[in-house]
């Protein structure tokens, strides 16, 4: 009986062990966060918080002072005006785009390839080129002998693409319409691109070069200074013989003395006053 009992017990224990559920552990795998894709919106940024400097992110991030921007304008204003005469693109627009997209000439493509507008090779380009990370790694960009060639290619790019044709129906001195027209035609996807161009044009008064080419007068914007009305000092009243003054609310001997160009002591002596106390409606003699 004992043997039978132990045999049954062993079978029971074995069966329970076999039916015990398996426990599976799940290992959590942390995937690497994908890198943010560089978009055209990321490439063109202006830091408007500092009046003395511009932070320009074109093909490379640079920070330049207003003096550097002014020097860039001085170097290329003639080129921009010549291109306006030849191709009809406002000089103000060309200069503003050059400043923004080249970091005022200090960006990597501008310094190593004289490429001030980030113009890529495209299939028709047969000249020298450089590789630069942009929308994709190591993209092909045009390399120029002189920056002026980059300005020329920028003008040819706009004049040879049919989707930019509506721009050339706009007035040449309407830089705001051109800035918004470039965005509408698809030149940049950054929604703030027109405002950035307009801000540069107005801050550095680039529209005056458009006026020079068109032979029209340019009036520099004037800053409006709030004027505060300054009331002239009240002229002391002349004292005539037997002149009197009736005390009004808020008046004192001191204010009355100033009004009639006299002194407190004289008023007290004439009116037999022991102190400076006076009352509303009281008549004082002024001589």
């Amino acid at each position: 009986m004992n043997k039978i009992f132990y045999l049954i017990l062993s079978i029971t224990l074995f069966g329970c062990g076999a039916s015990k559920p398996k426990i599976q552990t799940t290992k959590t795998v942390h995937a690497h966060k994908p890198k943010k894709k560089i978009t055209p919106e990321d490439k063109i940024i202006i830091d408007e918080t500092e009046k003395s400097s511009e932070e320009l992110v074109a093909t490379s991030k640079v920070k330049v002072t207003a003096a550097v921007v002014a020097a860039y304008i001085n170097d290329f204003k003639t080129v921009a005006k010549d291109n306006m005469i030849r191709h009809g693109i406002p000089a103000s627009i060309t200069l503003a785009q050059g400043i923004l997209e080249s970091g005022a000439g200090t960006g990597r493509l501008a310094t190593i390839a004289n490429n001030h507008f980030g113009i890529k090779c495209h299939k028709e380009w047969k000249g020298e080129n450089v590789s630069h990370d942009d929308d994709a790694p190591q993209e092909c960009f045009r390399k120029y002998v002189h920056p002026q060639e980059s300005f020329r290619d920028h003008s040819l790019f706009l004049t040879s693409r049919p989707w930019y044709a509506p721009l050339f129906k706009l007035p040449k001195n309407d830089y705001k319409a051109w800035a918004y027209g470039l965005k509408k035609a698809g030149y940049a996807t950054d929604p703030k691109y027109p405002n950035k161009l307009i801000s540069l044009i107005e801050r550095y008064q680039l529209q005056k070069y458009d006026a020079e080419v068109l032979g029209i007068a340019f009036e520099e914007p004037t800053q409006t200074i709030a004027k505060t009305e300054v009331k002239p000092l009240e002229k002391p009243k002349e004292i005539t013989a037997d002149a009197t003054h009736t005390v009004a609310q808020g008046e004192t001997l001191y204010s009355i003395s100033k009004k009639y160009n006299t002194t407190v002591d004289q008023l007290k002596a004439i009116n037999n006053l022991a102190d400076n106390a006076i009352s509303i409606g009281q008549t004082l003699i002024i001589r």
Side-chain angles (χ1 to χ4, degrees):
M1 291 296 292
N2 290 337
K3 290 182 179 180
I4 295 172
F5 174 78
Y6 285 118
L7 179 61
I8 293 172
L9 180 62
S10 299
I11 292 172
T12 302
L13 293 173
F14 178 78
C16 293
S19 62
K20 186 177 181 180
K22 294 181 179 180
I23 300 175
Q24 295 182 343
T25 59
T26 303
K27 183 178 181 181
T28 302
V29 179
H30 296 281
H32 291 289
K33 185 178 181 181
K35 293 182 178 179
K36 180 183 177 183
K37 183 180 179 181
I38 298 175
T39 64
E41 288 85 348
D42 298 321
K43 295 193 301 176
I44 304 171
I45 302 173
I46 297 182
D47 182 1
E48 297 289 355
T49 59
E50 292 186 29
K51 296 297 183 183
S52 60
S53 67
E54 304 280 358
E55 186 177 36
L56 308 170
V57 181
T59 50
S60 57
K61 185 175 181 178
V62 295
K63 189 169 185 178
V64 297
T65 63
V68 171
V69 177
Y72 181 90
I73 295 168
N74 188 60
D75 289 341
F76 296 106
K77 62 184 180 182
T78 301
V79 178
K81 288 164 64 177
D82 288 343
N83 275 273
M84 181 176 178
I85 295 171
R86 292 174 182 270
H87 304 287
I89 302 166
S92 60
I93 289 291
T94 300
L95 284 170
Q97 287 187 287
I99 294 168
L100 188 59
E101 297 175 28
S102 75
T106 64
R108 181 174 182 269
L109 281 179
T111 55
I112 69 171
N114 288 317
N115 191 332
H116 286 228
F117 297 90
I119 302 176
K120 297 180 181 180
C121 292
H122 303 295
K123 58 183 180 180
E124 69 268 18
W125 180 249
K126 306 298 180 184
E128 293 186 54
N129 62 79
V130 295
S131 296
H132 181 77
D133 292 345
D134 193 50
D135 296 326
Q138 295 298 288
E139 289 191 90
C140 181
F141 286 84
R142 300 183 184 189
K143 182 178 181 180
Y144 302 98
V145 178
H146 300 291
Q148 290 85 339
E149 298 173 3
S150 176
F151 276 75
R152 180 201 61 195
D153 266 9
H154 169 262
S155 296
L156 294 176
F157 179 83
L158 293 181
T159 55
S160 63
R161 270 63 177 180
W163 49 89
Y164 294 119
L167 290 172
F168 296 90
K169 297 178 182 180
L170 299 172
K172 298 295 184 291
N173 61 338
D174 192 347
Y175 60 89
K176 291 183 180 179
W178 274 79
Y180 285 106
L182 282 167
K183 172 66 178 66
K184 185 177 180 180
Y187 188 94
T189 58
D190 180 3
K192 295 182 180 179
Y193 189 74
N195 293 331
K196 293 174 182 179
L197 294 181
I198 293 169
S199 175
L200 284 169
I201 290 170
E202 294 181 346
R203 186 178 310 175
Y204 296 99
Q205 297 186 15
L206 304 181
Q207 66 269 44
K208 67 182 177 183
Y209 302 116
D210 301 335
E212 290 176 7
V213 172
L214 297 173
I216 59 178
F218 170 72
E219 295 183 4
E220 293 187 10
T222 55
Q223 293 183 349
T224 303
I225 301 175
K227 294 182 178 180
T228 56
E229 184 180 355
V230 179
K231 294 182 179 180
L233 295 175
E234 186 177 356
K235 184 179 180 181
K237 294 183 179 181
E238 294 183 1
I239 303 175
T240 59
D242 300 326
T244 60
H245 175 83
T246 302
V247 178
Q249 184 175 0
E251 287 186 318
T252 64
L253 279 180
Y254 178 78
S255 64
I256 295 171
S257 69
K258 291 299 180 183
K259 190 171 186 178
Y260 293 96
N261 197 23
T262 184
T263 65
V264 172
D265 290 337
Q266 287 177 334
L267 289 176
K268 288 170 66 177
I270 295 172
N271 292 276
N272 297 318
L273 298 176
D275 52 31
N276 293 345
I278 54 177
S279 59
I280 298 173
Q282 180 178 352
T283 301
L284 298 176
I285 300 173
I286 312 295
R287 289 188 182 178

